[in-house]
Structure formats: structure tokens, C-alpha cells
Amino acid sequence: MIRDMKTLESSIASCTKAMDEKFKGLDGKRHIVLCGGTGCLSNNSMEIKERFEKILKDEGLDDQVTVNIVGCFGFCSQGPFVKIYPEDTLYRLVKVEDVDEIVHTDIVNHTVVYRLLYVDTATGEKVTKQEDINFYKKQRRVALHSCGEINPEDMNEALGAGAFQGLKRALSMTPQEVIDEVLASGIRGRGGAGFPSGRKWQFARNVESDEKYVVCNGDEGDPGAFMDRSILEGNPLAVIEGMMIAGYAIGASNGTVSATPSSRRGKQVFWERRSSERISPSTVISVWVQVLSSAVRRQHFLTPSKESAACPVPVRRSRQ
């Protein structure tokens, strides 16, 4: 449960330490992550995950190895992807029937399955790590930061990857200072028009109203592009944090995330924080962003729902 800045800082520190231990192998476990992007899911990523879980349980390794679906890795032509930490070994074009070999060769005997490594098209050499593949070498993810690395359904991993650091800084500023910084940054809308985000926030702040809302438009305007879907599925807490910062800046007390049927997993990630129920494709998720000015002054800006202390932002289904 996160109720104040001190608790937030403590949670971030412990979660960052846990993530560092995971990536460096200091927690004594191996970690298997699978790409949850559209292409990989359509090529049986979920079935691959289930096969990993079954074999690990049968071999008595399920308490030593974790298996999770993460956000999109990119480079979809080479999926499904499977990455193993702490070695950071990346396997591509993985099939369900490859799982047994990965478990017995890599997980049990610590030997790389070379036939599943990416082959450099220029040199013909096998590449073990994602960062050494030419496609990724010069990339720096900004909007998609942490996608493909963290479990989007685990808030602790999001905190360990930097979640709420932006909110923490914003709350040390006045709402107008936040808007001024967004204006100075030059950030613009990503939907095509490129309208300055800071100007939108300023317009909203200047409006006098008893009730204001932050609306996250998760609609996919370009068929098959899945830009919004990738963010919602890969790092949903970053979206919530951005809404909270916007809410603080403009004086809003509520936020709503609207997602299209194509964002089924993105909506599931949000909803599974509150319930194990499956989501119908037509579900619209509402996220109540608790950033009332009075609450901020009391530093109770992350008020959890009564249902669970797992996530600081209550989530509900608004309609079917």
C-alpha cells in the first residue's frame, strides 16, 4: 500500500533492488520472459508459456524458474521471442515443440540452444544477446520504455523500472510549473496533428469547472499499427502515471482509459489488477486517478482501493 512520498520512495528502492538482482542473477533464480506482442501471440506465445510452466512443474523447477509474458520486443518477423535472465539469452522463432529442449539444455544444463539464436544477415554469425542484434543496436525506447522487459501485470517490476519517478518530481512542482515544463519540452500529440501537449494542458487548466477529467485515448486510428496497444500492453502503469501527472497539472480528479477491441490484452492487464475475470473485447476500462489537490497536500496522492492493496489506482469496468 502506497500512501505517501516516504512509502513510495521505500517501495521504489526495494523494487529497484529486486529488479537489479533479477537481471544479474543475484536472486538465485532463472527468469523466462516471452514476447506478448500481436505477432508473437498469434504464433502461440501463450501456448509456449503454458508448455514452459508444465515442464518446469513436472521437473520440479517451478520454484526456481519464473515464466512471464511481457510487452512487444519489436522485430516481429523473428518472433515468437523467448529471453532468459540473468544470461540475457534471446531465442527467436520459438515453437511449442522447442520448449522441452530449451528447458533441458539451457535451464537445466546451462547450455545455449544455438539453433534458436538469431543469425546476423551480414556476417552469418549467431547472436546471443538482443542488444547485439543490428536491428536493436541504435534504438532507444522512449514511449515504449520497459516494454519487453517488465511483467506488465506486476506493479513491483514497474516500480523497479522507474515508475512514479516522474510523478514524484511533478508533485515537487506547482501545477503551472509542470505545464511550463511540458511546453518547454516540445512534446506533441502522436496522432498525426502534432498539437503541443503543453497547450492542451494549459487550456484545460484555464477552464473553471467543479469537475475535470483526464481521458486517455487508446483508440487505434491506423488499422494494424497497434501503437497505443503496445504501450497499454507493455507498460500500463506508465500510462496511469502520465494521467496522474496530467490530472495534477490541470486540476482533474478522475481519469478514463478508452481502448478499442484490438487492445484486448491491454485492457486485460488493467482489469486483472482488480479481478481474475476475463474481459470481453468491447469492454471500456475506467481508471480513477486520485490526484485531488487536497489529497496531494496531504501527500495521500496514491490512495488504494478498498478491494486490494496491490495497485494504488482503483480500476473498474464501465460497460460491456
Side-chain angles (χ1 to χ4, degrees), residues 257-277:
V257 176
S258 176
T260 54
S262 65
S263 300
R264 182 171 185 174
R265 176 166 164 76
K267 291 180 289 186
Q268 182 176 341
V269 167
F270 274 104
W271 183 243
E272 283 187 349
R273 293 180 183 279
R274 320 290 348 126
S275 170
S276 61
E277 236 178 293

Side-chain angles (χ1 to χ4, degrees), residues 2 155 164 237 240 243-244 253-257 270-271 273-275 285-291 300-317:
I2 300 174
M155 180 180 169
F164 291 137
L237 208 60
I240 295 174
M243 293 174 67
M244 296 175 82
S253 58
N254 294 290
T256 297
V257 176
F270 274 104
W271 183 243
R273 293 180 183 279
R274 320 290 348 126
S275 170
I285 304 301
S286 289
V287 181
W288 298 99
V289 184
Q290 307 284 338
V291 286
H300 288 185
F301 55 90
L302 296 177
T303 305
S305 69
K306 295 180 180 179
E307 299 173 24
S308 170
C311 180
V313 185
V315 180
R316 69 177 177 84
R317 290 184 301 177

